Amino acid sequence: MRLKPQRGGKAGMVQDERRAAAGWQGRLDGLGICASALCLLHCLVLPLLLAALPALAARLGPHDSLHWLVLAIALPTGAIALGGGWRRHRAAAPLILGVIGLASLAAGVALPMRELFETGLTVAGSLLLAGAHLANWRRRAGPLAWRRRCDLAC
């Protein structure tokens, strides 16, 4: 069994705190990716399911409160994960993509428009937000860590 060398002092504690914060923010990015994928499924599959099963459509109906709830979860999760990632790696692209994605999601929920435009705007926002979280996750882990994960998966 190999023991890890002990780090002492303030530098070791700061490094441990940064590592713990990076793990927590990485989990938020993972949650953001999963939530964006579920949003995409909801926007694309549910209308097809409701068209195929009219009895189900009569019972479910349009529920705007679900969209507001998802937006209320996406906004702080995206802001914390993408903002924390920017503070760590200083890459502006994931942050800009995330802001555009969150703005598209908010516009799709808040602005009165036809359902087709709302769905298109929400799907585009969801894809942009998922891409931003993925880019943030990759940059946070570093190029070598990401390459190792890909080698293990393939």
Side-chain angles (χ1 to χ4, degrees):
M1 178 182 346
R2 191 172 177 187
L3 297 175
K4 291 183 182 179
Q6 293 291 328
R7 285 189 311 262
K10 189 174 181 179
M13 287 191 323
V14 169
Q15 198 172 33
D16 289 342
E17 287 174 6
R18 285 183 184 163
R19 199 173 290 133
W24 184 71
Q25 289 173 343
R27 286 187 192 97
L28 282 178
D29 280 322
L31 176 67
I33 292 168
C34 291
S36 295
L38 287 174
C39 179
L40 189 64
L41 281 173
H42 167 76
C43 289
L44 296 177
V45 175
L46 190 62
L48 295 175
L49 184 65
L50 293 177
L53 302 170
L56 185 63
R59 288 185 182 259
L60 288 180
H63 293 288
D64 289 334
S65 59
L66 174 67
H67 296 148
W68 283 104
L69 176 68
V70 170
L71 183 64
I73 293 169
L75 284 174
T77 302
I80 292 168
L82 296 170
W86 178 81
R87 279 195 313 269
R88 179 162 182 190
H89 53 66
R90 298 289 185 206
L95 185 62
I96 292 169
L97 277 177
V99 167
I100 294 170
L102 286 170
S104 297
L105 287 174
V109 171
L111 298 177
M113 60 182 81
R114 294 185 184 257
E115 191 170 335
L116 181 64
F117 294 125
E118 175 190 345
T119 301
L121 197 58
T122 305
V123 167
S126 180
L127 288 172
L128 285 171
L129 190 57
H133 280 297
L134 186 60
N136 197 40
W137 199 7
R138 289 179 70 176
R139 288 187 185 269
R140 181 177 288 136
L144 295 177
W146 184 256
R147 189 169 289 154
R148 271 185 253 128
R149 284 186 198 142
C150 288
D151 289 343
L152 290 175
C154 295

